[in-house]
């Protein structure tokens, strides 16, 4: 095995569990992350100069893990790896069907994952071009997505709002609504799963992440998702101390929907 991939496998095995002694469950999850195709994909990315070695975990989830990688010039990138074994394929099909950019007829799980990764890459590219504050997409390959690393120069990742409350909640929320306005009205996309779990607090300014499920504005379920997004952030930021009303949010987003 290529030493870079061997090193990657070794690093992830260390990162899966914070306990000294791995359980059977820990080893199972590790094998789900680094199956043969994922290792081969990482080898290709390393061979093409996109990564040199994996260097830590940024976040772990049911469907994907985000890892930090170091390039040869010692700069950082984020590597998002989707897992075949634990992904919610019904959910993926729900968000992809009705999107005119995709014509997915196969029920092959690996193919669906690859299309899901491509969907997130295309959504990020569209948002980035619209100057929405999102991570810059680098490349999508199979079940792997490379993104701009969001953090400091020492490699410490920015925290989600859920874990790091903004210093000034209303100011931060207002900045978030400015970004969402561009998201909705310039990029013509709806996030679809917006919450304080997928908004980063980067130097007290919001950066939106996790846009794989995001749909185009004329998608059949777009309004339903938009209403859900608005309700989510309204309630979550209210708990943090925001004074914004639903009407204020709607006005700042320049939308006309019945939200109660």
């Amino acid at each position: 095995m290529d030493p870079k991939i061997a090193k990657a496998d070794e690093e992830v095995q260390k990162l899966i569990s914070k306990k000294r002694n791995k359980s059977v469950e820990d080893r199972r999850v590790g094998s789900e992350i680094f199956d043969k195709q994922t290792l081969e994909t990482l080898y290709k990315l390393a061979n093409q100069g996109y990564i040199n070695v994996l260097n830590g975990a940024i976040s772990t989830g049911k469907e994907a893990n985000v890892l930090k990688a170091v390039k040869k010039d010692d700069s950082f990138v984020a590597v998002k790896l989707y897992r075949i074994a634990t992904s919610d394929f019904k959910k993926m099909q729900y968000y992809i069907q009705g999107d005119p950019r995709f014509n997915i007829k196969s029920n092959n799980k690996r193919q669906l994952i690859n299309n899901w990764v491509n969907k997130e890459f295309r959504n990020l590219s569209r948002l980035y071009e619209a100057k929405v504050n999102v991570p810059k997409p680098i490349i999508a390959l199979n079940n792997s997505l490379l993104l701009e690393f969001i953090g400091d120069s020492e490699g410490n990742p920015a925290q989600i709002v859920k874990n790091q409350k903004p210093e000034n909640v209303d100011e931060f929320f207002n900045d978030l609504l400015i970004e969402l306005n561009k998201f909705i009205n310039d990029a013509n996309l709806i996030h679809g799963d917006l919450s304080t779990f997928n908004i980063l607090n980067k130097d007290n300014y919001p950066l939106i992440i996790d846009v794989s499920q995001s749909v185009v504005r004329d998608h059949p379920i777009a309004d339903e998702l938009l209403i859900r997004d608005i309700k989510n952030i309204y309630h979550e930021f209210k708990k943090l101390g925001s004074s914004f009303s639903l009407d204020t949010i709607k006005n700042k987003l320049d939308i006309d929907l019945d939200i109660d």
Side-chain angles (χ1 to χ4, degrees):
M1 182 183 292
D2 183 274
K4 294 174 183 175
I5 301 305
K7 178 66 174 175
D9 192 20
E10 176 188 340
E11 288 293 331
V12 170
Q13 294 302 325
K14 291 177 182 177
L15 295 168
I16 292 305
S17 176
K18 295 181 180 178
K19 296 174 287 185
R20 290 185 178 180
N21 298 318
K22 294 178 184 292
S23 65
V24 172
E25 177 69 9
D26 293 327
R27 290 192 293 271
R28 182 187 66 78
V29 172
S31 65
E32 288 171 358
I33 296 172
F34 268 135
D35 60 16
K36 180 181 178 183
Q37 189 196 57
T38 300
L39 289 171
E40 290 174 348
T41 299
L42 288 171
Y43 170 77
K44 290 179 182 178
L45 292 170
N47 205 36
Q48 294 171 15
Y50 287 104
I51 60 174
N52 190 42
V53 64
L54 297 183
N55 188 244
I58 297 174
S59 67
T60 59
K62 178 182 177 182
E63 297 177 346
N65 289 63
V66 182
L67 308 174
K68 182 176 62 178
V70 183
K71 298 174 66 176
K72 286 185 177 180
D73 62 2
D74 291 331
S75 63
F76 299 105
V77 292
V79 184
K80 189 171 187 177
L81 303 174
Y82 278 92
R83 304 205 298 270
I84 300 294
T86 57
S87 289
D88 187 341
F89 297 100
K90 288 185 178 180
K91 184 193 79 171
M92 290 179 176
Q93 289 175 325
Y94 177 72
Y95 285 103
I96 287 180
Q97 289 173 353
D99 191 324
R101 298 173 299 169
F102 298 91
N103 184 23
I104 310 300
K105 296 181 179 180
S106 172
N107 288 322
N108 180 279
K109 290 183 176 181
R110 192 170 293 277
Q111 183 179 345
L112 185 58
I113 286 282
N114 294 350
N115 278 290
W116 188 252
V117 173
N118 183 46
K119 182 173 185 282
E120 183 162 19
F121 180 85
R122 291 180 65 176
N123 283 342
L124 279 171
S125 300
R126 186 165 173 165
L127 292 162
Y128 193 79
E129 289 173 5
K131 302 188 184 305
V132 182
N133 201 29
V134 296
K136 181 180 180 180
I138 298 171
I139 187 174
L141 183 62
N142 299 324
N143 67 326
S144 304
L145 176 65
L146 263 62
L147 310 164
E148 172 190 8
F149 172 76
I150 307 299
D152 63 26
S153 59
E154 301 298 317
N156 300 304
Q159 296 298 302
I160 58 175
V161 172
K162 184 69 176 179
N163 294 338
Q164 185 176 336
K165 179 181 176 179
E167 292 178 3
N168 186 316
V169 174
D170 273 347
E171 182 178 325
F172 186 95
F173 198 9
N174 187 67
D175 290 337
L176 173 62
L177 295 176
I178 290 172
E179 296 301 328
L180 278 179
N181 195 311
K182 292 184 287 184
F183 198 115
I184 297 165
N185 298 311
D186 294 342
N188 287 309
L189 288 173
I190 305 301
H191 189 284
D193 190 28
L194 196 60
S195 74
T196 51
F197 283 95
N198 44 40
I199 303 166
L200 295 183
N201 182 349
K202 177 66 170 72
D203 301 326
N204 277 294
Y205 194 87
L207 184 141
I208 302 169
I209 59 172
D210 293 341
V211 299
S212 55
Q213 74 290 321
S214 298
V215 300
V216 289
R217 190 67 183 87
D218 58 356
H219 192 285
I221 61 172
D223 284 351
E224 171 191 338
L225 297 180
L226 178 55
I227 290 172
R228 187 174 70 186
D229 281 350
I230 292 173
K231 285 184 175 181
N232 281 348
I233 59 172
Y234 165 70
H235 289 296
E236 291 186 356
F237 275 87
K238 187 176 182 179
K239 290 178 181 178
L240 294 177
S242 171
S243 63
F244 286 12
S245 67
L246 276 174
D247 285 340
T248 299
I249 296 170
K250 287 169 58 178
N251 289 336
K252 287 182 177 291
L253 295 180
D254 192 26
I255 59 172
D256 184 21
L257 290 173
D258 290 328
I259 304 175
D260 48 26

